Amino acid sequence: AVVSTQSTGKDRMLVIEECHNSRAVTLFLRGSNSMIVAEAKRSIWDAMCVIRNLVRDNRIVYGGGSNEISAAISVYDAADKNSSIEQYAMRAFGEALESVPMALAENSGLSPFSTLAEVKSRQIKEGNPRLGIDCMDKGESDMRVQHVIETLIGKKQQIMLATQLVRMILKIDDVRSPGEGEE
């Protein structure tokens, strides 16, 4: 191993290089201010979490809201087959799933309702669950062609966390009866 000291402006650091059989990596981040450095640290942390998730489970889903639209379509189909009052909760879950592609469309400067309606109708008509929101305005809605992917484990965690949160809120609403606390 080669050991040396290096200076970067007013900071000095000890550098150990060329270590055989080492699996350690050190990243040295610098920025114009502490906010830039903190944002870079968060970005690197997020990237390492994606890698960790892919090591745990290397399955992926296509992004761009395509999987949420596809899941919402399936939930609406199941709600149509259900004649009980549960169909309303199922439809609300489908609407909640659609909020992700709507937010993507809105944040991309697109009309959220018309963009979602167009992609949703194309998914149904073409039978292609990979169609999502074209955020980069490339003229292609197929997320496989655009190489927009997400980890399956991350997507499952997102949906499970959101569902658990809603269930918790509903339980709180059940505990508090209407008219309670109004004086």
Side-chain angles (χ1 to χ4, degrees):
V2 177
V3 179
S4 63
T5 56
Q6 292 182 0
S7 296
T8 57
K10 60 184 174 188
D11 298 323
R12 288 183 34 200
M13 63 182 161
L14 181 66
V15 178
I16 304 170
E17 298 177 299
E18 299 177 26
C19 297
H20 299 290
N21 298 323
S22 174
R23 297 176 70 180
V25 175
T26 302
L27 298 174
F28 179 64
L29 300 176
R30 293 186 63 184
S32 57
N33 59 39
S34 61
M35 188 174 78
I36 299 292
V37 174
E39 186 61 31
K41 285 167 73 175
R42 279 192 294 277
S43 296
I44 290 170
W45 177 259
D46 289 345
M48 289 190 319
C49 288
V50 169
I51 298 299
R52 179 203 62 210
N53 287 344
L54 283 171
V55 168
R56 285 184 184 169
D57 184 355
N58 64 357
R59 294 178 291 174
I60 59 165
V61 294
Y62 292 102
S66 62
N67 53 59
E68 286 88 353
I69 296 170
S70 182
I73 291 168
S74 296
V75 169
Y76 288 138
D77 288 344
D80 289 342
K81 296 173 186 166
N82 191 335
S83 60
S84 72
I85 197 165
E86 290 177 355
Q87 68 176 304
Y88 299 110
M90 294 169 77
R91 289 185 202 289
F93 187 76
E95 288 175 20
L97 287 168
E98 288 178 343
S99 67
V100 172
M102 284 183 66
L104 283 171
E106 188 172 15
N107 290 340
S108 299
L110 304 169
S111 170
F113 293 104
S114 60
T115 305
L116 175 63
E118 177 195 342
V119 174
K120 190 174 169 183
S121 68
R122 282 188 58 203
Q123 265 200 20
I124 294 169
K125 187 171 108 180
E126 298 174 21
N128 184 355
R130 299 181 307 269
L131 297 176
I133 306 300
D134 182 16
C135 296
M136 302 301 283
D137 201 24
K138 293 184 176 182
E140 178 62 60
S141 294
D142 192 328
M143 296 298 110
R144 178 167 50 178
V145 173
Q146 285 202 30
H147 305 290
V148 179
I149 59 172
E150 298 180 64
T151 61
L152 176 64
I153 192 169
K155 184 55 64 179
K156 284 169 59 176
Q157 288 171 350
Q158 291 169 14
I159 292 173
M160 285 174 37
L161 181 62
T163 305
Q164 289 172 356
L165 179 66
V166 169
R167 290 179 67 198
M168 183 176 66
I169 291 170
L170 289 173
K171 283 182 182 179
I172 291 171
D173 282 350
D174 284 344
V175 170
R176 185 182 173 275
S177 59
E180 210 176 283
E182 296 175 11
E183 293 177 22

